């Protein structure tokens, strides 16, 4: 009852003697601190908005320009070519200022206008510079004088100390290529603690530190070519406080400006956990305390509660109808709002997962499949991401894909893994550093009243999801024979090398070639997402045939390999610079549907299945991990299921100079696809 009383700022009782009013000073204090925290965030956003709004200039540069103008005026020099005099004459009609005041106001107005004009000019110049992508097509390791001059100009117009969203207004829009052009062409080995609640406490705190940096725009924008060319940062905006809402015709993305709680799932129960106390973030040890309170809670799930999240794993229409019929009012609406408006979703898993040296293959496969789908009801698949902590302290993420692409989630995860192990750390007994706090209110159970009809829909959705999840064969393994270090010494793109190896492996497996998808980012442009690199080319097929033909010499194979590698790199660069094929074809298809125009060509091209779907997970913050001195701090990256029923899904990450981690998926139901439990040999 103590916690319940603290939650009410004042209480009153009507008595024969009048009204007895009682104030809760602690509750009033919490309200004050909450309001203070909210106003702090608003002020930071307002300040960042101004800084970003005037970028690549700075607010202080306004004063410099104005003072410069005023100085020249007092030196009897007119820097405005008569504009200041015209402003002065206009002000004379007001008849409320002295001559000296008019001069000052005229100078300030002209200086401000000049400052704004300089900002616009610098932004436009930067946008024009960033529209040039010829640097991407230069030979690897070589840079022309023109490119060096261009890079210098980009750095000059980029200003100093950019914030996360500083470059957004200067990035060019993704262009539409000509139709004829389109038609013609985790840490793996480290476990710092076995205590589940402690690992959750540290990692959740690290995630919230990242969110705070994101809110303050303190995350550095990603830049290529020696930290020169900026990439679009728009996808970061919906990382937190975001949920996908089901609809009968189309889903929508719901994003909240802020959220002060998370929702935690454990043993079939949902708990709401506040992230702040006394106006500050919970410390790691305090968050561990909250997680342990949930683990120690012996209450049983309410009817229909345990498997509720299966609704987010099954067909969307039944979930949309069920949501509208049973979750639009009362306690169900309040609890669903708590989930959907949470900063993110957390699962305290009851199983033990992770890499085991005595059984590396099976342990990694099980680890990957658990993060991919779990039991289909213990992850909220509609949240932007579900943070999963296993019973033995291993952890991982399951991310919803519509709000952003894999590199954005990977950027968060690199920061979390580094902060958890290398900055926050753990006490010798495995607990988080610091002290517990008995004054923090307990996590609260979410209350549900789920009728039988809805429970039937839940079971149907679970059966649908289980059929899909149980059909996924998933193999995760490290390739340790060599890595990108040796590949680069051969003056070959590591990505092109891996893609050609995949083409060769697929041909040896299936005896034929297939349409191949590789994801390429288009974040050189504003709000860009991805484009497709069609990795199966005429050149790659010639190379593969030569590799399986014993009559071909090494020299002939090397020549064909170089041609295929260069063609792949060219295709990748075209995709990155807005000249890809598939997004253009899809847009043409959408327009044809809107205009009710039948296109047999588009229908045929877009119906072809991607039997080999591939993606590289980039390692973006290499400064966070010193892999040469700490080789055990390697990431296994992330993976996904197969796109086609009779195909493979392949994800890989180039870790450091000597390791490539692979995730390969297919379906058990397809007799033609199967995953061998050993990794490839070095000659493949």
């Amino acid at each position: 009852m103590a916690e319940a009383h603290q939650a009410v700022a004042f209480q009153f009782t009507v008595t024969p003697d009048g009204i007895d009013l009682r104030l809760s000073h602690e509750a009033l204090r919490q309200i004050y601190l909450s309001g203070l925290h909210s106003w702090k965030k608003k002020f930071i956003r307002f300040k960042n908005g101004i800084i970003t709004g005037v970028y690549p200039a700075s607010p202080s540069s306004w004063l410099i320009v104005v003072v410069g103008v005023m100085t020249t005026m007092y030196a009897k020099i007119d820097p405005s070519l008569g504009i200041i005099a015209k402003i002065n004459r206009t002000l004379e009609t007001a008849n409320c200022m002295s001559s000296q005041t008019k001069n000052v106001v005229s100078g300030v107005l002209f200086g401000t206008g000049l400052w704004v004009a300089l900002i616009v000019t610098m932004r436009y110049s930067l946008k024009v510079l960033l529209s040039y992508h010829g640097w991407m097509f230069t030979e690897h390791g070589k840079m022309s004088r023109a490119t060096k001059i261009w890079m210098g100009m980009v750095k000059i117009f980029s200003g100093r100390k950019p914030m996360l969203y500083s470059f957004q207004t200067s990035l060019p829009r993704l262009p539409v290529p000509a139709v004829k052009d389109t038609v013609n062409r985790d840490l793996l080995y480290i476990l710092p603690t076995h205590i589940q609640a402690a690992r959750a406490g540290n990692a959740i705190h690290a995630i919230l530190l990242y969110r705070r940096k994101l809110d303050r725009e303190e995350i550095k924008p990603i830049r290529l070519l020696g930290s020169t060319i900026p990439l679009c940062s728009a996808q970061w905006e919906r990382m937190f406080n975001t949920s996908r809402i089901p609809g009968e015709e189309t889903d929508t993305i719901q994003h909240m400006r802020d959220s002060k709680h998370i929702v935690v799932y454990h043993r079939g129960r949902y708990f709401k956990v506040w992230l702040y106390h006394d106006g500050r973030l919970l410390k790691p040890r305090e968050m561990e305390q909250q997680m342990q309170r949930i683990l120690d809670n012996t209450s049983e799930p309410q009817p229909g509660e345990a498997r509720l999240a299966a609704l987010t794993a099954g067909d969307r229409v039944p979930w949309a109808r069920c949501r509208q019929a049973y979750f639009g009012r009362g306690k169900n609406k309040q609890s669903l709002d708590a989930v959907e408006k949470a900063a993110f979703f957390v699962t305290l898993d009851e199983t033990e997962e992770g890499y085991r040296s005595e059984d590396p293959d099976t342990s990694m496969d099980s680890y990957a499949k658990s993060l991919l789908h779990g039991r289909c009801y213990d992850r909220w698949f509609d949240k932007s991401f579900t943070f999963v902590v296993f019973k033995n302290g291993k952890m991982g993420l399951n991310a919803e894909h519509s709000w952003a692409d894999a590199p954005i989630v990977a950027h968060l995860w690199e920061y979390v893994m580094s902060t958890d192990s290398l900055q926050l750390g753990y006490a010798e007994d495995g607990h988080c550093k610091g002290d517990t706090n008995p004054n923090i209110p307990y996590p609260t159970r979410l209350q549900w009243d789920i009728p039988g009809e809805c429970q039937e829909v839940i079971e149907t959705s679970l059966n649908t999801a289980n059929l899909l999840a149980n059909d996924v064969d998933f193999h995760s393994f490290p390739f340790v024979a060599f890595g990108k270090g040796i590949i680069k010494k051969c003056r070959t793109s590591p990505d092109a090398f891996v893609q050609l190896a995949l083409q060769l492996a697929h041909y040896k497996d299936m005896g034929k070639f297939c349409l191949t998808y590789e994801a390429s980012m288009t974040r050189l442009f504003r709000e860009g997402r991805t484009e497709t690199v069609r990795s199966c080319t005429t050149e790659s097929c010639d190379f593969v045939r030569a590799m399986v033909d014993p009559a071909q010499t090494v020299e002939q194979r090397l020549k064909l390999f170089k041609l295929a590698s260069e063609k792949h790199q060219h295709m990748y660069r075209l995709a990155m610079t807005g000249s890809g094929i598939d997004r253009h074809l899809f847009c043409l298809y959408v327009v044809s549907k809107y205009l009710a125009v039948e296109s047999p060509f588009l229908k045929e091209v877009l119906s072809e299945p991607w039997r080999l779907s591939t993606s590289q997970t980039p390692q973006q913050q290499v400064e966070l991990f010193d892999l040469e001195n700490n080789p055990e701090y390697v990431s296994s990256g992330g993976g996904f299921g197969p796109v086609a029923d009779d195909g493979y899904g392949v994800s890989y990450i180039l870790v450091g100079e000597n390791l490539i981690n692979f995730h390969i998926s297919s379906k058990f139901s397809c007799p033609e696809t199967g995953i061998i439990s050993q990794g490839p040999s070095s000659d493949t």
Side-chain angles (χ1 to χ4, degrees):
M1 289 297 290
E3 292 80 5
H5 282 296
Q6 288 179 4
V8 182
F10 68 92
Q11 296 177 325
F12 66 91
T13 305
V14 179
T15 68
D17 299 326
I19 299 177
D20 180 20
L21 182 64
R22 288 174 291 175
L23 296 175
S24 171
H25 294 285
E26 177 61 26
L28 289 173
R29 180 171 173 270
Q30 293 298 331
I31 293 173
Y32 164 76
L33 291 173
S34 177
L36 181 63
H37 172 76
S38 178
W39 278 105
K40 281 183 178 178
K41 293 195 71 171
K42 289 180 180 178
F43 173 76
I44 291 172
R45 285 175 179 158
F46 176 74
K47 180 195 70 174
N48 290 342
I50 293 176
I51 295 174
T52 301
V54 303
Y55 195 83
S58 64
S60 60
S61 65
W62 171 84
L63 184 62
I64 296 173
V65 173
V66 170
V67 169
V69 170
M70 298 303 295
T71 301
T72 59
M73 288 175 61
Y74 282 105
K76 305 301 182 180
I77 300 173
D78 184 7
S80 69
L81 302 177
I83 296 177
I84 293 177
K86 291 182 179 180
I87 298 174
N88 210 328
R89 288 195 295 270
T90 303
L91 292 175
E92 287 179 356
T93 59
N95 292 325
C96 59
M97 301 183 207
S98 65
S99 177
Q100 185 175 1
T101 303
K102 291 175 186 176
N103 288 334
V104 172
V105 173
S106 299
V108 170
L109 289 175
F110 174 76
T112 302
L114 178 61
W115 179 65
V116 172
L118 288 172
I119 292 174
V120 173
T121 301
M122 291 180 71
R123 278 189 181 171
Y124 182 78
S125 300
L126 185 58
K127 179 176 282 190
V128 171
L129 287 168
L130 293 177
S131 298
Y132 168 72
H133 300 117
W135 57 272
M136 191 173 290
F137 297 90
T138 58
E139 186 177 344
H140 185 71
K142 295 182 179 180
M143 186 178 295
S144 66
R145 181 181 299 175
T147 300
K148 291 179 180 179
I149 295 173
W150 170 79
M151 283 182 60
M153 294 179 67
V154 170
K155 290 181 179 180
I156 291 172
F157 285 102
S158 292
R160 299 188 308 157
K161 298 181 179 179
M163 303 181 76
L164 180 61
Y165 302 123
S166 293
F167 291 107
Q168 288 304 103
T169 56
S170 299
L171 288 172
R173 293 286 186 180
L174 188 67
V176 178
V179 174
K180 63 182 183 66
D181 292 341
T182 298
V183 173
N184 291 337
R185 305 179 351 212
D186 284 293
L187 302 174
L188 188 55
Y189 306 120
I190 294 295
L191 185 57
T193 179
H194 291 274
I195 302 175
Q196 184 178 18
R199 196 78 196 273
N202 250 18
I204 291 174
H205 185 77
I207 294 173
L208 294 172
L209 290 178
Y210 187 93
R211 186 178 75 153
R212 185 165 68 185
K213 289 170 68 72
L214 179 58
D215 287 341
R216 297 176 177 179
E217 299 183 28
E218 294 173 351
I219 296 173
K220 296 179 181 179
I222 307 298
R223 293 193 274 183
L224 306 179
L225 203 64
S227 298
T228 304
I229 313 304
L231 300 183
C232 179
S233 301
Q235 294 183 47
W236 266 270
E237 294 177 5
R238 298 185 293 188
M239 177 177 287
F240 296 97
N241 327 323
T242 299
S243 192
R244 178 172 176 163
I245 308 300
E248 293 199 34
E249 294 186 0
T250 182
D251 289 2
T252 56
I253 298 295
Q254 172 185 278
H255 173 68
M256 312 302 295
R257 292 283 293 176
D258 193 15
S259 179
K260 295 181 172 63
H261 73 277
I262 56 175
V263 170
V264 180
Y265 178 93
H266 175 250
R267 207 169 56 79
R269 297 92 37 89
Y270 291 80
F271 295 84
K272 184 176 183 179
V273 180
W274 293 104
L275 303 175
Y276 297 88
H277 182 71
D278 282 346
R280 57 161 177 81
L281 277 176
L282 293 188
K283 299 175 182 177
R285 189 68 175 91
E286 294 170 337
M287 186 58 75
E288 177 190 347
Q289 170 186 292
Q290 297 297 78
M291 297 301 107
Q292 192 60 52
R293 285 172 168 176
I294 293 174
L295 293 172
D296 294 341
N297 188 298
T298 59
S299 61
E300 293 298 320
Q302 301 159 80
E305 179 183 19
R307 299 180 172 182
L308 175 63
L311 289 170
T312 68
D315 294 333
R316 304 304 288 175
V317 173
W319 172 208
R321 293 174 178 172
C322 197
R323 186 179 186 275
Q324 184 176 13
Y326 305 114
F327 296 90
R329 68 190 73 85
K331 61 175 67 175
N332 285 350
K333 180 178 179 1
Q334 293 178 357
S335 295
L336 184 61
D337 278 350
V339 174
E340 294 179 340
K341 296 179 180 179
F344 53 93
F345 193 82
V346 178
T347 295
L348 297 177
D349 204 289
E350 300 171 69
T351 64
E352 295 187 0
E353 296 290 352
Y355 175 84
R356 297 193 304 272
S357 58
E358 66 274 14
D359 189 7
D361 292 335
T362 303
S363 63
M364 285 303 296
D365 297 354
S366 176
Y367 190 15
K369 272 184 67 69
S370 182
L371 288 173
L372 183 65
H373 52 68
R375 290 180 287 183
C376 297
Y377 60 81
D378 51 0
R379 286 94 170 98
W380 197 274
F381 296 104
D382 283 352
K383 286 300 290 181
S384 53
F385 64 89
T386 295
F387 172 51
V388 184
V389 187
F390 296 99
K391 193 174 181 179
N392 58 345
K394 294 296 289 187
M395 59 186 188
L397 286 181
N398 176 286
E400 203 277 324
H401 198 0
S402 64
W403 64 274
D405 301 313
I408 311 303
V409 182
H411 193 275
L412 162 68
W413 195 237
E414 288 172 355
Y415 176 88
V416 171
M417 298 299 286
S418 171
T419 303
D420 167 47
S421 297
L422 304 180
Q423 295 186 33
L424 298 177
Y426 296 85
E428 292 184 0
D429 58 2
H431 290 283
C432 295
K433 296 177 180 179
D435 301 315
T436 59
N437 189 344
N439 295 322
I440 298 176
Y442 275 67
T444 56
R445 279 284 305 272
L446 296 186
Q447 300 300 311
W448 309 92
D449 183 13
I450 304 174
E453 297 88 345
C454 183
Q455 293 183 39
E456 292 178 3
V457 178
I458 292 173
E459 291 304 313
T460 301
S461 295
L462 180 59
N463 290 335
T464 301
N466 276 334
L467 285 173
L468 180 61
N470 293 337
D471 194 24
V472 174
D473 187 9
F474 208 109
H475 184 46
S476 178
F477 62 90
F479 178 78
V480 297
F482 57 85
K484 69 178 181 182
I486 290 181
I487 298 174
K488 289 191 295 184
K489 288 181 180 179
C490 300
R491 302 183 66 82
T492 299
S493 159
D495 183 73
F497 183 95
V498 174
Q499 286 291 325
L500 290 174
L502 291 175
Q503 290 295 317
L504 177 57
H506 184 272
Y507 187 83
K508 286 185 172 182
D509 175 47
M510 305 294 287
K512 58 184 177 181
F513 299 104
C514 72
L515 191 62
T516 304
Y517 173 101
E518 182 189 5
S520 163
M521 66 89 174
T522 55
R523 285 164 51 212
L524 286 167
F525 304 96
R526 189 172 179 179
E527 298 180 1
R529 292 287 299 256
T530 62
E531 176 56 282
T532 304
V533 179
R534 295 185 169 223
S535 302
C536 185
T537 63
T538 301
E539 290 80 1
S540 69
C541 293
D542 291 342
F543 163 70
V544 169
R545 292 191 186 100
M547 289 297 291
V548 297
D549 182 1
Q552 295 287 325
T553 65
V554 173
E555 290 76 15
Q556 291 171 319
R557 291 172 175 174
L558 284 174
K559 180 180 179 181
L560 292 171
F561 172 81
K562 185 175 182 179
L563 289 172
S565 175
E566 290 174 349
K567 179 59 178 291
H568 180 84
Q569 274 298 91
H570 184 68
M571 297 282 286
Y572 201 99
R573 290 161 176 163
L574 286 172
M576 284 186 66
T577 54
S579 299
I581 296 173
D582 288 271
R583 300 302 178 262
H584 190 198
L585 290 175
F586 180 71
C587 287
L588 291 172
Y589 175 77
V590 172
V591 172
S592 71
K593 285 296 182 181
Y594 176 77
L595 298 175
V597 175
E598 286 295 324
S599 173
F601 167 74
L602 290 173
K603 188 175 181 180
E604 179 181 354
V605 169
L606 294 175
S607 64
E608 296 176 350
W610 301 100
R611 290 191 171 88
L612 185 55
S613 181
T614 70
S615 180
Q616 179 191 165
T617 303
Q619 195 170 17
Q620 303 166 91
Q621 302 169 92
V622 292
E623 71 276 6
L624 296 180
F625 301 98
D626 181 3
L627 292 179
E628 289 189 7
N629 297 319
N630 302 283
E632 69 276 13
Y633 283 89
V634 298
S635 170
S636 61
F640 51 88
V643 175
D645 291 337
D646 56 348
Y648 293 98
V650 181
S651 175
Y652 53 95
I653 180 172
L654 300 156
V655 186
E657 299 294 304
N658 306 303
L659 174 66
I660 308 175
N661 277 318
F662 286 89
H663 301 268
I664 304 179
S665 62
S666 65
K667 290 193 174 183
F668 288 113
S669 58
C670 178
E672 295 182 356
T673 58
I675 299 176
I676 303 173
S677 60
Q678 289 83 25
S681 60
S682 58
D683 61 347
T684 309

